[in-house]
Amino acid sequence: MPGVVRLSVRNIRKSFGTHEVLRGISLDAQDGDVISLLGASGSGKSTFLRCINLLETATDGEIWVDGEQIRMVHKAGKTKPASQKQVDHIRSELGMVFQSFNLWSHMTILQNVIEGPVHVLKRPRAECIAEAEVLLEKVGIADKRHAYPALLSGGQQQRAAIARSLAMKPKVMLFDEPTSALDPELVGEVLRVMRSLAEEGMTMLVVTHEMSFARNVSNRVVFMREGLIESSGPPQEMFGSGASPAFRQFIGHFGAPA
Ligand code: ADP
Ligand code: MG
């Protein structure tokens, strides 16, 4: 449903001790938006994603997922989520794919994919297996369903991790440098899966250094610098004459994007 706001972040801040890593970030993702989050190492991109899915607790600000605000309590100078039940619910609505695949090594690929739907969502196992098979087909590794992660290439493991996230039917997918740990020849197969997800209308927030993805797949580019959004806009503007000097300098390090 285009127009529906799936994720809304209002002025979030995050400090580690005296170091303020996020200094007031606001961002809305509507249904089907694919937002590339770019920025130098240390600019706060991972912390931002981790605050959204509550792996970290923002020190201040508001986060809304699919119209529901994450409730926080402020006590003795600390901020934490008010309800673990809500945290679990919000997490089930947000898929997260990390740089380092994070599959369970003692489970086959199929077991990895059905684990969440069966044990967290308590859905019937046979139904979850049938859906998992479809997802594995979609990411191109159906033939690996009974293999253990260690037997797969990095690109196959990352595609399995994407399938595992999708099995929870998330409202928004968060990706934190999903291709940064891969050998260059395996990057394309993961980007293709992400591109087809985007084309199907998945709402995605993607931290990446893949300028071709940012330029050709996302419909918005957000450039973070030192814990703030320095500039943002459609890729045509950001990669065209509308770029800020800081963003221009940043992309200069990557050469001309394809
Ligand atoms: P990016 O993903 O853009 O490279 P990060 O969000 O990982 O940036 O980190 C932003 C800043 O926050 C860095 O200076 C980093 O050292 C600091 N930081 C991140 N996580 C922690 C933590 N758990 N404790 C203390 N400092 C942290
Ligand atoms: Mg990071």
Side-chain angles (χ1 to χ4, degrees):
M1 277 182 286
V4 173
V5 178
R6 294 292 180 206
L7 176 70
S8 183
V9 179
R10 298 265 74 93
N11 208 22
I12 67 164
R13 293 173 175 273
K14 174 66 182 175
S15 299
F16 293 107
T18 57
H19 182 191
E20 193 170 43
V21 170
L22 300 179
R23 301 190 291 143
I25 300 223
S26 299
L27 177 146
D28 276 345
Q30 295 192 357
D31 195 50
D33 273 345
V34 178
I35 301 174
S36 289
L37 201 55
L38 308 182
S41 174
S43 56
K45 306 178 299 294
S46 294
T47 304
F48 180 52
L49 290 196
R50 292 170 59 82
C51 284
I52 293 172
N53 75 354
L54 303 167
L55 292 171
E56 302 282 0
T57 308
T59 329
D60 197 10
E62 294 178 4
I63 300 170
W64 300 70
V65 176
D66 209 27
E68 179 179 343
Q69 185 180 4
I70 302 171
R71 296 188 306 279
M72 296 288 178
V73 286
H74 307 274
K75 216 161 71 184
K78 288 224 153 98
T79 304
K80 54 179 209 170
S83 154
Q84 185 59 41
K85 197 168 160 222
Q86 189 190 32
V87 170
D88 294 342
H89 169 66
I90 293 286
R91 285 219 182 106
S92 76
E93 300 203 304
L94 297 170
M96 176 101 183
V97 174
F98 300 88
Q99 182 174 329
S100 56
F101 329 136
N102 288 17
L103 295 165
W104 291 294
S105 59
H106 63 290
M107 290 183 193
T108 66
I109 296 303
L110 184 67
Q111 286 167 340
N112 264 278
V113 176
I114 65 169
E115 177 71 13
V118 170
H119 291 106
V120 179
L121 302 181
K122 315 268 186 221
R123 296 184 44 220
R125 190 180 176 85
E127 207 177 286
C128 297
I129 289 175
E131 286 181 11
E133 306 262 0
V134 172
L135 286 171
L136 290 173
E137 190 75 50
K138 182 169 149 156
V139 303
I141 51 169
D143 57 325
K144 303 289 179 198
R145 60 187 173 283
H146 298 308
Y148 286 87
L151 289 174
L152 273 62
S153 72
Q156 290 168 333
Q157 289 188 53
Q158 192 60 301
R159 286 183 282 147
I162 293 171
R164 185 181 57 178
S165 279
L166 293 175
M168 297 295 281
K169 304 190 187 192
K171 301 273 175 52
V172 180
M173 285 286 286
L174 310 174
F175 292 86
D176 193 356
E177 299 198 32
T179 60
S180 294
L182 299 174
D183 292 335
E185 71 273 19
L186 302 179
V187 168
E189 64 195 49
V190 173
L191 290 179
R192 271 193 293 281
V193 166
M194 292 170 61
R195 183 182 196 124
S196 70
L197 262 186
E199 286 167 356
E200 285 168 25
M202 177 59 79
T203 309
M204 299 162 61
L205 186 51
V206 184
V207 173
T208 186
H209 295 298
E210 292 294 330
M211 293 300 146
S212 64
F213 182 91
R215 187 180 182 133
N216 301 318
V217 182
S218 51
N219 66 331
R220 187 140 44 104
V221 174
V222 171
F223 175 52
M224 276 182 66
R225 195 171 69 161
E226 295 172 6
L228 289 170
I229 294 180
E230 195 273 340
S231 55
S232 70
Q236 310 86 283
E237 274 173 30
M238 294 292 280
F239 289 102
S241 53
S244 71
F247 184 64
R248 207 180 291 268
Q249 190 187 28
F250 172 75
I251 55 176
H253 296 300
F254 294 88

